[in-house]
Amino acid sequence: RSWRLRVGAIAQPRHSILGMAAAPAPGLAGPLYAFAACGGYMTLGPLLILLNNHILHGLHFPYPIALSALGVTFSAACCRLLTLTRLVPLTRPELAQSRAFFWRTTLPLAALAALTLALGNAAYMHLTVGTCQILKALTPAITLGLSYALRLEEPRAPVVGCVLLMCCGTAVAARGEIALPRL
């Protein structure tokens, strides 16, 4: 309870589309929060890839989809626990009981996320960790291209520049990992 009061005293929470509260604080705490979140993402993502690789290859666990299911199940249990304890309150609890929201939003997102995780872990059975990292590094380029092709968003010059820079870095890294023809 005291944790919630401290967070509430720092900033009023902003709300996401799925009804979860997100409360980065204004001022210096906001950039520190963003820096900590990015640092955690950049550290834990590769560590999870190495752990999955060790489980699949080192421990000879031949079920990549089951490994993905364990991760998603653990994440779902943690999210449920956080909402039940009200450490992360639902701002729109009516969505939790809405059948229409479930069929139109939750189920398609869950199915596609499960497919992504399953196929991603299945790729570890045939590709090296480095190659998988290279392919994942191209995600922003694919997202940008699809959002433009589907006319969801017009790409801005700074975004295109950043994505091109990431693709150049990926190409440099790929040169050492897999045999590519000279450009």
Side-chain angles (χ1 to χ4, degrees):
R1 183 168 166 86
S2 64
W3 180 82
R4 285 186 303 179
L5 293 175
R6 279 186 280 141
V7 170
I10 292 172
Q12 292 297 320
R14 292 185 303 175
H15 304 293
S16 71
I17 192 166
L18 296 179
M20 301 292 284
L28 182 61
L32 288 177
Y33 177 83
F35 182 73
C38 289
Y41 179 80
M42 291 180 349
T43 303
L44 294 175
L47 286 176
L48 184 59
I49 289 170
L50 292 173
L51 177 65
N52 285 348
N53 185 51
H54 173 70
I55 291 170
L56 292 171
H57 289 174
L59 301 177
H60 306 290
F61 186 74
Y63 306 107
I65 294 174
L67 185 60
S68 295
L70 285 173
V72 173
T73 302
F74 180 74
S75 296
C78 287
C79 290
R80 187 70 177 151
L81 182 66
L82 288 171
T83 56
L84 287 175
T85 60
R86 299 191 193 276
L87 288 173
V88 179
L90 292 175
T91 57
R92 295 182 57 197
E94 70 275 5
L95 291 180
Q97 280 94 33
S98 170
R99 287 184 189 262
F101 184 77
F102 175 80
W103 288 107
R104 287 185 314 188
T105 305
T106 306
L107 188 63
L109 284 174
L112 291 173
L115 184 64
T116 299
L117 288 171
L119 294 176
N121 273 351
Y124 290 137
M125 300 299 285
H126 307 288
L127 301 173
T128 65
V129 172
T131 304
C132 290
Q133 282 290 88
I134 289 166
L135 292 173
K136 286 183 178 188
L138 294 174
T139 300
I142 294 167
T143 303
L144 182 69
L146 284 175
S147 67
Y148 178 70
L150 296 173
R151 297 187 177 153
L152 298 174
E153 186 175 335
E154 197 69 30
R156 298 182 319 254
V159 173
V160 172
C162 288
V163 169
L164 286 175
L165 183 65
M166 286 188 288
C167 289
C168 289
T170 301
V172 169
R175 187 177 171 111
E177 177 64 26
I178 54 177
L180 293 176
R182 286 191 180 253
L183 298 175

